Structure formats: structure tokens, C-alpha cells
């Protein structure tokens, strides 16, 4: 398949590996009943990495402060669950999720104007600075956020009034995975549309993107806001499923980890963030079991190997492999 | 009286002490086939950058079909029907030629229709079959049919030069600025480009910036000569080729193109 026909199938239809991936992901809910808490965690990190991919992989905005939106979402959902646990509507996790997304989106929109221009270094510092400010504000507002002790007493109501959060993480993992899937479908639609092509065009050549009429700033504001909303949802999921929100959800390390997952998985294709989150979480889990203190050593080593020898990350490697097997069909 | 397609009034651009564009009054009629020539460093590309909005003028004004566009950003000018190519390739390295042209077509269509255009922005790019076929046709017309879905970064320079033009045409401009489209490509590709721009709609106003006088004389009906940022003279091809001053500053300079 070539030319127009190939283009059409690549930009619209679901590819076989997408279907396999999601079928496997949902099958895990049944196949791995003892690891549902890990699955929940993976889904949440995957959502965070996915949201980062939208701005980094597609629009080319590097960020070291994505945790700001994650944390804002976490506190928003946490506070709602804490103060409205008697309220059937405002206390519902899905409503909390929506309000958290909205709050993070507002912060994202407001700070997007700071990342419109400037070099990668400028953007790294600006995003880092915004995250530091947000974290310090959360720290100072300790009568609301609990400060360094974290937000206690987060008691989310059953999801949609029907599904109680259980000890084994069944509800949590299902809920997070469904939200991740919906977010993926939205992100997929956005990047496969002319809007997404336009983002890649801006990433590759801003001058030309403007010359073909793309309103570059408006597009960057839009995608930054959307990415912030999705990151806020990830944070909300974490606060709701772990019944806790703390300052480390806003931490630099959280931002760096999201970036790490994306680099491991490969940026700019939506799956990179998902794969990166899976590998990251499993490596964390397994390596911690073997060497509790030195797992970061292995993480660091594999990261260096990856960026030196496989810059496209895991998805880049897979693509290379696929090309070797079927030279004509490669995506 | 109809408005000219593109017009500048006392347009001026200085970089520090250097006057790159010196009080240029330029007038391009609808359907013009105009060449802009001048020795190296005459300010041709600066002038195009001012017209397209890549640079802001120091003073003076620019008018597109009667509207003052001096303060408009490049993207707004493009949406108003002004399209350009670049002397040095400015492409989307990570996209394919087909993606680039589909995107440009979608962008040009979006400009037309308000909320419908906004909806289209988020509809899968692959769902609009007619647009994809149109994009493929534009590329095939430039003999790029064999590399529709190869990453642009992996293509040869000559092919990239042709994609440069394909993207500019996909914007469906009413005014087209071609900044040395044939720079550094083979004779065969040069003929191809000449053929393609020769077949463009006659209502489109085209400005060709070019060093190759052979190409200029075959394409243009009128010529403006730029020297040191200022207009030396403007006239028909016959007038320009007979002009002694032009011979002295430019034509006599040799066959360096």
C-alpha cells in the first residue's frame, strides 16, 4: 500500500498493534489480579507521559515542570474528595476528575504564554520555574493542602456512585485504565487530524509553519492547555486511588520521571509514553526487589545506553525491527 | 480602478546602519509574471521577507489587494492568499511530502470556513479522500510521485527543492513569491519547475527572484532591478535588457548563476 491509500489508513484506521496493545492492557485486569495496584500506577504514569508527549513529541516544547499540572490535579481531586465526601455529585470521582482537569487546564493556559517563544533552554527553565512556584504555593497554603504532611482524609466516593474503591485495586485499576484509554482516544484524534500535523510542522520548522498560514501561537497554547488538563487528570487519579495528595506530586523528580518515561519509550507517537511508563514501573518494581538501594544505577545505565544508541526509544527500536521484517509496510 | 495584487509604499528596512531595503515603491498587478533581479546582496531576500511577514519593516507600508497588511503576522498574510518559497529550504523534516501538502491544503481550506473549518481541524486527516488525492496530484505534477510517503529528511536536495514549491502551491495563493526556486538543482528539475509555474492560473500574481537570466527571460513579462536595497528600474523584459545601467550593474557581472 502506498501513496494516498497508505496515508488514509495511517491517519485514520486503528492499526493492528494498537488493538493488540489495548486488548492486552484490559486483559491484565483479569489476568493479573494480584498486581492491580501496579497496573493502576502504570496507567496513571502512562497518562502523565502521554500528556507530556503531546507537547514534547508533537509540538516540540521541552518541559521540566509538567508535574505542576499533575500536582494541581491531585490536590484539586483530593480536596474535593475530602470536603464533599457526603455530596453525591461533587464527591463523585468522575466529577472530581473533570474539575481537576479544568483547574490544571486553567493553570496550563495561563502559563502557556511563557513557553510560546524562546529556546529549549529557556523553556526548560520557565517550566521548571512554574513548577517550583506552584509547589511552594502548595507548601505555604498548608491550612488547605496540609503542607509537608500531605493532604489527609481523602475519602473518595464510589465511582459513578456504584464502584467502591477496594483494597486490591480492582476498581482503581479499571477506573484509571478506562480514563487512560479515553485520553488516548482523544489524543489520537487530535494528532491524526490536521491539527496534529500542524503541531509537527511547528516542531520541525516554525518559520514555514507560519508561512503556510498556521497560527503558531494559538496552536501551542491549545496543545499546552490540553496537555495540562490530561496531566491534571493523571494527578487526580493518583490522589483518588491512593487517597492521598502530597507535595512530592508537584516535585521536580516527578517531572523528570515523566520525561524519562517518554525518552525510554520514544516521543512523538503516543505509544512511547505508554511503553515508557510500563517499563519504568516494572523496572522499578523488579529492580527494587533485587537491589532495593541501587535500582537507580540500572535505570541510569539503561537510560544512557538508550539515548546514545537508540534515540527513538523503545518505539523507535520496534519500528526499526518492523522495518527489517517488512521493509515496505513500515510505519 | 482596481487595487494591485501587492503593493509597497516607501518600504524601508535597516539593520543597524545597513539599509537593506531603501524606500521601495513596488507594484504587482493581478496576474503579473514579474521577476525581481539584482546582484548578490541587493536585498532581494530581505524584500521578500518583508512582503511575507518574516521580517517587520522599519517604515513604510505593504498592501495586499488594497488591504494594509504591514502589521499582520506571517501566518495571517498566508491565510489572506500570500504564499512563498524560501531560498534555503524550509521544510517539515519529520513529515512526508504527502503529509506536508495535505496539511497545507487543510490549512488553506480552514481559512475559508469558520466553525466548519475548526471542526475539520480535528477530523482525521486521512478521512478527506479528495484532499489527499489533490495533494498527491500536486506532488506528482512535480514528479514526486515516488516519494509521497518518505520522510522529507531522507530525500535528495533536488526533491526537497521541488517540495518547497509543492507546499507553496498547495496554499492556493493569489500572490506567489518564489525565492530562487531553481537554486542548486539539475537542468532537468529546472525545466520541470519552469513548466509547472508556467502552467499556473493566469489570475495568480507571481514574483520570481532569480539569478539565472535565462530563466528570468523565459518566465517574466516585467522585471524590477534592485541594487543596494533600492529599485534601480522597473520595466518590460525588452526595456530591462536594453537598459545600459542594468547591463553595468548586473548583466555584465557574468554567468555565475
Amino acid at each position: 500500500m502506498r501513496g494516498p491509500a497508505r496515508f488514509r489508513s495511517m491517519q485514520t484506521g486503528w492499526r493492528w498493534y494498537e488493538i493488540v496493545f489495548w486488548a492486552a492492557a484490559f486483559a491484565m485486569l483479569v489476568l493479573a489480579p494480584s498486581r492491580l495496584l501496579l497496573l493502576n500506577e502504570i496507567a496513571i504514569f502512562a497518562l502523565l507521559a502521554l500528556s507530556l508527549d503531546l507537547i514534547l513529541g508533537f509540538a516540540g516544547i521541552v518541559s521540566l515542570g509538567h508535574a505542576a499540572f499533575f500536582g494541581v490535579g491531585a490536590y484539586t481531586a483530593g480536596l474535593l474528595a475530602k470536603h464533599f465526601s457526603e455530596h453525591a455529585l461533587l464527591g463523585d470521582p468522575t466529577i472530581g476528575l473533570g474539575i481537576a482537569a479544568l483547574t490544571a487546564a486553567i493553570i496550563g493556559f495561563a502559563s502557556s504564554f511563557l513557553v510560546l517563544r524562546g529556546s529549549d533552554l529557556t523553556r526548560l527553565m520557565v517550566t521548571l520555574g512554574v513548577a517550583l512556584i506552584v509547589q511552594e504555593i502548595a507548601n505555604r497554603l498548608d491550612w488547605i493542602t496540609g503542607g509537608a504532611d500531605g493532604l489527609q482524609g481523602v475519602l473518595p466516593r464510589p465511582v459513578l456512585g456504584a464502584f467502591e474503591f477496594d483494597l486490591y485495586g480492582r476498581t482503581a485499576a479499571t477506573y484509571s485504565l478506562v480514563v487512560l484509554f479515553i485520553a488516548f482516544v482523544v489524543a489520537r484524534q487530535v494528532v491524526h487530524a490536521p491539527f496534529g500535523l500542524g503541531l509537527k510542522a511547528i516542531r520541525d520548522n516554525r518559520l514555514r509553519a507560519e508561512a503556510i498560514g498556521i497560527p503558531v501561537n494559538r496552536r501551542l497554547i491549545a496543545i499546552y492547555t490540553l496537555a495540562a488538563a490530561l496531566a491534571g487528570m493523571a494527578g487526580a487519579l493518583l490522589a483518588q486511588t491512593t487517597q492521598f495528595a502530597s507535595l512530592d506530586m508537584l516535585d521536580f523528580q516527578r517531572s523528570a520521571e515523566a520525561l524519562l518515561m517518554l525518552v525510554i519509550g520514544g516521543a512523538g507517537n503516543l505509544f512511547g509514553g505508554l511503553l515508557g511508563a510500563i517499563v519504568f514501573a516494572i523496572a522499578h518494581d523488579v529492580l527494587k526487589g533485587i537491589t532495593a538501594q541501587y535500582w537507580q544505577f540500572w535505570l541510569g545505565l539503561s537510560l544512557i545506553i538508550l539515548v546514545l544508541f537508540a534515540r527513538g526509544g523503545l518505539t523507535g527500536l520496534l519500528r526499526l525491527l518492523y522495518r527489517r521484517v517488512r521493509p515496505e509496510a513500515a510505519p | 480602478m482596481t487595487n494591485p495584487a501587492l503593493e509597497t509604499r516607501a518600504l524601508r528596512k535597516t539593520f543597524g546602519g545597513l539599509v537593506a531595503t531603501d524606500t521601495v515603491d513596488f507594484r504587482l498587478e493581478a496576474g503579473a509574471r514579474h521577476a525581481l533581479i539584482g546582484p548578490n546582496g541587493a536585498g532581494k531576500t530581505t524584500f521578500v521577507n518583508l512582503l511575507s511577514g518574516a521580517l517587520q519593516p522599519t517604515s513604510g507600508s505593504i498592501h495586499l489587494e488594497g488591504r494594509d497588511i504591514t502589521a499582520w503576522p506571517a501566518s495571517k498574510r498566508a491565510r489572506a492568499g500570500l504564499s512563498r518559497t524560501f531560498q534555503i529550504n524550509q521544510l517539515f523534516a519529520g513529515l512526508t511530502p504527502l503529509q506536508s501538502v495535505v496539511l497545507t491544503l487543510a490549512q488553506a481550506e480552514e481559512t475559508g470556513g469558520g466553525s466548519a473549518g475548526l471542526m475539520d481541524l480535528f477530523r482525521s486527516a486521512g478521512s478527506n479522500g479528495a484532499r489527499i488525492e489533490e495533494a498527491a496530484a500536486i506532488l506528482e505534477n512535480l514528479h514526486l510521485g515516488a516519494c509521497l510517503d518518505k520522510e522529507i529528511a531522507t530525500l535528495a536536495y533536488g526533491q526537497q527543492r521541488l517540495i518547497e514549491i509543492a507546499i507553496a502551491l498547495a496554499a492556493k495563493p493569489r500572490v506567489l513569491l518564489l525565492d530562487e526556486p531553481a537554486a542548486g538543482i539539475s537542468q532537468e528539475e529546472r525545466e520541470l519547475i519552469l513548466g509547472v509555474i508556467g502552467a499556473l492560473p493566469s489570475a495568480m500574481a507571481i514574483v520570481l527572484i532569480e539569478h539565472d537570466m535565462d530563466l528570468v527571460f523565459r518566465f517574466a513579462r516585467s522585471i524590477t532591478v534592485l541594487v543596494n536595497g533600492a529599485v534601480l528600474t522597473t520595466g518590460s523584459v525588452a526595456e530591462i535588457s536594453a537598459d545600459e545601467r542594468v547591463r553595468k550593474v548586473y548583466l555584465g557581472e557574468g554567468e555565475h548563476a
Side-chain angles (χ1 to χ4, degrees):
Chain A
M1 200 169 27
R2 303 187 48 183
R6 181 162 185 273
F7 182 94
R8 218 169 302 164
S9 87
M10 290 206 31
Q11 297 280 351
T12 39
W14 282 74
R15 316 266 296 169
W16 62 267
Y17 55 82
E18 294 182 284
I19 296 165
V20 169
F21 179 89
W22 285 106
F26 280 103
M28 286 318 237
L29 289 172
V30 185
L31 297 178
S34 61
R35 311 311 304 271
L36 290 176
L37 290 172
L38 181 64
L39 184 62
N40 177 50
E41 197 179 307
I42 291 175
I44 290 168
F45 288 146
L47 181 53
L48 179 63
L50 176 77
S51 72
L52 185 61
D53 197 14
L54 284 179
I55 58 167
L56 175 63
F58 289 88
I61 302 173
V62 286
S63 168
L64 269 181
H66 211 50
F69 311 123
F70 185 81
V72 165
Y75 275 105
T76 307
L79 286 166
L80 281 167
K82 179 177 175 167
H83 298 293
F84 293 93
S85 59
E86 301 303 318
H87 198 293
L89 196 64
L90 282 175
D92 195 278
T94 55
I95 301 295
L97 186 73
I99 296 175
L102 195 68
T103 315
I106 291 168
I107 309 272
F109 177 78
S111 59
S112 69
F113 295 90
L114 301 171
V115 298
L116 289 179
R117 295 220 159 254
S119 65
D120 286 351
L121 182 64
T122 319
R123 285 168 162 176
L124 278 179
M125 291 305 117
V126 165
T127 51
L128 181 60
V130 169
L132 287 173
I133 291 170
V134 172
Q135 189 179 25
E136 196 51 46
I137 291 174
N139 187 27
R140 286 301 164 94
L141 297 178
D142 54 3
W143 77 94
I144 301 174
T145 63
D149 298 330
L151 187 66
Q152 312 282 347
V154 176
L155 291 168
R157 296 173 60 83
V159 180
L160 297 171
F163 305 98
E164 193 93 43
F165 285 109
D166 55 287
L167 223 57
Y168 311 100
R170 176 168 296 277
T171 302
T174 312
Y175 173 48
S176 296
L177 202 55
V178 168
V179 171
L180 172 65
F181 180 68
I182 293 169
F184 179 83
V185 172
V186 170
R188 194 180 178 284
Q189 186 62 34
V190 166
V191 303
H192 283 196
F195 182 86
L197 283 177
L199 291 180
K200 285 186 165 179
I202 293 168
R203 175 198 69 192
D204 284 353
N205 194 327
R206 184 189 179 118
L207 179 68
R208 190 55 182 264
E210 278 169 348
I212 64 168
I214 296 175
V216 170
N217 285 351
R218 247 186 290 161
R219 297 289 170 86
L220 291 179
I221 290 168
I223 197 64
Y224 201 75
T225 305
L226 176 64
L230 294 183
M233 287 170 82
L237 290 176
L238 188 62
Q240 290 171 343
T241 58
T242 61
Q243 308 190 352
F244 188 60
S246 61
L247 290 176
D248 75 306
M249 291 179 182
L250 287 159
D251 206 47
F252 167 71
Q253 178 153 358
R254 184 79 57 174
S255 300
E257 277 174 5
L259 196 57
L260 216 64
M261 290 175 206
L262 200 54
V263 170
I264 291 172
N269 59 58
L270 294 187
F271 272 99
L274 308 191
L275 288 183
I278 293 170
V279 170
F280 187 86
I282 291 178
H284 186 249
D285 202 54
V286 171
L287 290 174
K288 257 200 165 160
I290 303 170
T291 65
Q293 288 154 38
Y294 305 119
W295 86 278
Q296 288 199 341
F297 172 86
W298 297 106
L299 178 71
L301 188 66
S302 45
L303 185 70
I304 291 169
I305 292 172
L306 209 57
V307 294
L308 285 182
F309 300 106
R311 296 210 49 189
L314 290 176
T315 47
L317 280 176
L318 286 175
R319 193 197 263 200
L320 222 63
L321 216 65
Y322 188 56
R323 253 184 209 165
R324 198 148 288 180
V325 184
R326 294 184 58 192
E328 267 308 300
Chain B
M1 196 190 104
T2 57
N3 287 313
L6 191 63
E7 188 184 13
T8 70
R9 294 180 198 154
L11 196 67
R12 200 176 154 80
K13 176 70 182 177
T14 58
F15 297 103
L18 178 80
V19 183
T21 303
D22 191 0
T23 333
V24 171
D25 292 303
F26 178 81
R27 197 181 154 92
L28 187 74
E29 302 301 336
R33 295 291 182 272
H34 195 83
L36 186 64
I37 65 171
N40 281 324
K44 301 185 294 292
T45 293
T46 300
F47 185 61
V48 170
N49 283 339
L50 290 172
L51 293 178
S52 74
L55 284 175
Q56 274 298 310
T58 309
S59 63
S61 63
I62 306 165
H63 305 262
L64 181 67
E65 293 168 337
R67 279 178 295 178
D68 187 339
I69 61 166
T70 316
W72 290 13
S75 58
K76 193 172 176 189
R77 298 183 196 197
R79 292 197 294 277
L82 181 68
S83 178
R84 69 170 292 188
T85 68
F86 291 81
Q87 186 184 4
I88 297 160
N89 286 340
Q90 302 290 344
L91 300 169
F92 310 125
L95 300 187
T96 67
L98 198 53
Q99 284 176 324
S100 303
V101 174
V102 165
L103 169 66
T104 310
L105 285 173
Q107 194 59 49
E109 287 165 27
E110 188 219 336
T111 308
S115 64
L118 195 66
M119 287 281 289
D120 184 66
L121 200 56
F122 292 102
R123 201 168 291 139
S124 293
S127 64
N128 192 329
R131 181 192 293 152
I132 300 167
E133 295 295 341
E134 187 182 354
I138 290 173
L139 289 162
E140 274 155 14
N141 197 26
L142 283 157
H143 295 198
L144 292 164
C147 54
L148 291 183
D149 23 54
K150 299 214 169 81
E151 216 176 79
I152 290 176
T154 67
L155 299 176
Y157 175 79
Q159 289 172 317
Q160 294 186 350
R161 210 68 201 127
L162 296 172
I163 297 166
E164 186 67 40
I165 294 174
I167 293 174
L169 296 182
K172 296 182 179 158
R174 287 191 299 282
V175 178
L176 176 64
L177 312 173
L178 300 164
D179 194 354
E180 298 196 33
I185 62 174
S186 72
Q187 190 58 39
E188 198 183 325
E189 286 161 334
R190 182 176 300 239
E191 291 301 322
L192 178 60
I193 290 179
L194 202 61
V196 168
I197 59 177
L200 289 173
S202 60
M204 193 188 290
I206 305 174
V207 179
L208 174 72
I209 291 107
E210 188 51 68
H211 269 300
D212 183 340
M213 294 316 291
D214 175 49
L215 214 59
V216 169
F217 288 143
R218 284 167 65 191
F219 162 80
R221 290 196 290 265
S222 55
I223 298 177
T224 291
V225 184
L226 215 57
V227 176
N228 293 330
V231 174
L232 179 72
T233 178
T234 294
S236 70
V237 171
E239 287 164 359
I240 297 299
S241 48
D243 193 309
E244 270 310 309
R245 292 170 303 166
V246 177
R247 275 179 194 283
K248 204 173 276 177
V249 299
Y250 188 68
L251 299 179
E253 211 183 71
E255 307 282 299
H256 66 282

